[in-house]
Amino acid sequence: MKYDDLKELDDTDLPYDITHFSEHDGICTLNGMIPISVDAVSFSYESDEDIEIYDERDNFLGVLCICKSITDINIVSLTEARYIAYIHEVDKNTFKQGLPYKFTKNYLVIDVCEYDDYKNKYMDSAPIWGGFFHSNAESSLPEAYRFQPSKLIARPRIILPTDYHKESCIRSVVQPYAFERFLKLYHLLELIFDWNLVQEIKTLNDDLQGIARLLNEYSGNNELERLKVLLKRKCDDNKKLDKIADCLNKINSPDYLDKGMKIFFDYSKSGNPYKISNITPFSDLMSQGGFKRTNTKENNPNIKGIANNTYDNLVIELSAYFIYRVRCCIAHNRIGEYVMSNDDEGFVVEFAEPLLREVLCQIFSQ
């Protein structure tokens, strides 16, 4: 409610005399305290107690009210800070009913004297020092990208070898945003690299030279090379490779092909199979229908350099390269990398994530 709405109410409806209320920056205040909406709060905070906030000189600034998760609030029992947050949020008609209430947001309630100082000095950095954030014209977090799958295909005989793998799988599901979800799924690959090494070492028993050789090979290969080796070992028939090729072909859309060309080729890195191959350019291959077994030079005269015996290897190497590059673009915000932004979330959800999931299905299938 606005302050003018509040003044129209009967004084008996308010637990505080109307003289305790005022207005600042178009927001109703109570006893010199003003509410500022908070969009999200760290999940590590309990919500049954308000959290006081002080500056570095131990001067009181205000109270973080984590009230969004509380249901059926008794208005009479609200603290002063939560009450002014309630007044700010509730509409006049709902207020008149006097019914139990559920907040739609959390709030920071601060002293009016600190209001401008807070917005100028503390608001943008609140995610770092306070574990919460406000949306404003300068900074905001959009809703997570969502889409409607046409169907889901259940895959049998997928075995996760350790509890660490199972935990990462579950964590990937509860991540609402694509970037964090992709990294959690990628962790499954990092875990399997180490797990496979341990299994190989176990088979050597006391063969110290053999163990030393394995460790030397492992340290000499980067993650991209390990992923390529793993895929070549697991994707040993056409049916498996064709499923991965279908995922690669999802990039061939007006929304994603240009973005993919920028991420994977304009910002090309070592390991890109197109850098060392005299083959039909990727965009030209997509215009010819993408990765199909008919699109080899033996079957399509417009395709250059992709022989039947190199098609499988190209699918594997390009899939590994795409997955690894997306991982780096998300994890490394630095010069020389394509830095992912909110505009890229759809690309990750509808292209990169399905490709990674298919690769994981292949790797963990028994």
Side-chain angles (χ1 to χ4, degrees):
M1 278 191 294
K2 298 291 186 182
Y3 178 58
D4 288 342
D5 294 328
L6 201 64
K7 290 192 296 183
E8 295 176 3
L9 298 173
D10 191 324
D11 283 356
T12 59
D13 293 332
L14 298 169
Y16 302 90
D17 189 275
I18 191 63
T19 58
H20 290 251
F21 295 91
S22 185
E23 184 178 76
H24 184 82
D25 198 22
I27 302 171
C28 192
T29 68
L30 171 62
N31 291 330
M33 301 294 286
I34 184 169
I36 307 173
S37 63
V38 171
D39 282 62
V41 177
S42 171
F43 282 101
S44 63
Y45 294 165
E46 292 280 2
S47 61
D48 57 347
E49 296 288 341
D50 294 342
I51 302 175
E52 294 183 343
I53 299 175
Y54 294 81
D55 67 14
E56 289 181 301
R57 296 179 180 178
D58 208 31
N59 297 315
F60 178 75
L61 296 180
V63 175
L64 179 63
C65 300
I66 311 175
C67 46
K68 183 179 178 181
S69 61
I70 301 175
T71 60
D72 295 334
I73 296 170
N74 183 353
I75 307 303
V76 177
S77 66
L78 289 177
T79 64
E80 187 174 288
R82 291 191 181 197
Y83 188 80
I84 192 57
Y86 161 71
I87 290 295
H88 175 72
E89 184 171 297
V90 72
D91 64 76
K92 186 164 62 173
N93 291 332
T94 302
F95 177 85
K96 286 181 177 180
Q97 296 176 20
L99 300 174
Y101 188 76
K102 183 183 186 307
F103 280 97
T104 61
K105 288 189 175 183
N106 300 303
Y107 286 88
L108 174 66
V109 181
I110 65 173
D111 193 300
V112 169
C113 297
E114 304 290 348
Y115 180 73
D116 292 334
D117 208 32
Y118 177 81
K119 290 203 300 182
N120 293 329
K121 293 169 59 176
Y122 301 113
M123 179 177 277
D124 288 345
S125 58
I128 298 175
W129 58 259
F132 62 91
F133 79 90
H134 314 269
S135 286
N136 53 48
E138 290 76 32
S139 63
S140 63
L141 190 63
E143 290 290 325
Y145 184 93
R146 304 175 74 179
F147 79 116
Q148 181 64 44
S150 58
K151 61 181 178 180
L152 299 174
I153 306 297
R155 304 285 285 271
R157 299 181 298 279
I158 294 177
I159 306 298
L160 300 174
T162 71
D163 289 339
Y164 298 109
H165 287 86
K166 295 172 185 176
E167 181 180 335
S168 284
C169 279
I170 294 171
R171 287 182 179 275
S172 75
V173 174
V174 300
Q175 294 290 342
Y177 289 94
F179 300 161
E180 289 79 9
R181 190 166 58 243
F182 189 92
L183 291 182
K184 286 300 175 187
L185 290 170
Y186 188 86
H187 286 168
L188 296 173
L189 295 175
E190 294 176 321
L191 288 166
I192 201 62
F193 296 150
D194 293 344
W195 186 83
N196 284 342
L197 176 64
V198 170
Q199 302 313 304
E200 291 183 68
I201 290 174
K202 285 180 178 180
T203 64
L204 295 175
N205 297 319
D206 296 330
D207 183 0
L208 297 182
Q209 288 187 337
I211 294 173
R213 177 182 54 78
L214 282 178
L215 292 174
N216 186 58
E217 290 177 355
Y218 186 78
S219 62
N221 287 335
N222 59 35
E223 282 193 15
L224 177 55
E225 291 305 315
R226 291 171 196 159
L227 180 53
K228 290 178 180 179
V229 169
L230 187 57
L231 276 174
K232 288 173 183 178
R233 185 188 308 163
K234 297 294 291 188
C235 299
D236 51 3
D237 62 52
N238 289 352
K239 185 176 180 181
K240 292 180 179 180
L241 284 164
D242 289 346
K243 287 182 177 179
I244 294 178
D246 288 341
C247 292
L248 284 176
N249 289 330
K250 288 181 180 179
I251 201 173
N252 193 20
S253 74
D255 293 330
Y256 300 136
L257 183 56
D258 288 345
K259 190 178 293 289
M261 293 299 297
K262 186 174 184 179
I263 294 171
F264 302 129
F265 296 96
D266 290 355
Y267 286 80
S268 185
K269 303 291 183 181
S270 61
N272 184 350
Y274 271 83
K275 270 191 164 184
I276 57 176
S277 304
N278 183 26
I279 57 179
T280 294
F282 184 76
S283 57
D284 292 344
L285 178 64
M286 290 296 107
S287 70
Q288 293 287 331
F291 283 94
K292 301 177 183 176
R293 294 195 176 274
T294 53
N295 269 349
T296 58
K297 67 179 182 179
E298 289 88 349
N299 299 307
N300 186 340
N302 296 317
I303 299 298
K304 178 179 67 174
I306 304 178
N308 280 327
N309 61 349
T310 61
Y311 173 85
D312 292 354
N313 191 61
L314 181 60
V315 168
I316 287 174
E317 296 219 352
L318 201 62
S319 299
Y321 174 72
F322 282 0
I323 289 170
Y324 184 68
R325 291 311 322 147
V326 171
R327 173 261 180 194
C328 290
C329 291
I330 294 172
H332 301 154
N333 289 342
R334 64 190 183 195
I335 294 175
E337 293 284 0
Y338 178 90
V339 179
M340 291 280 185
S341 68
N342 294 329
D343 292 338
D344 300 310
E345 197 175 13
F347 177 84
V348 174
V349 171
E350 298 206 44
F351 170 69
E353 189 177 338
L355 175 61
L356 175 55
R357 288 183 183 276
E358 180 57 44
V359 164
L360 290 171
C361 285
Q362 301 289 1
I363 287 173
F364 290 104
S365 292
Q366 300 297 311

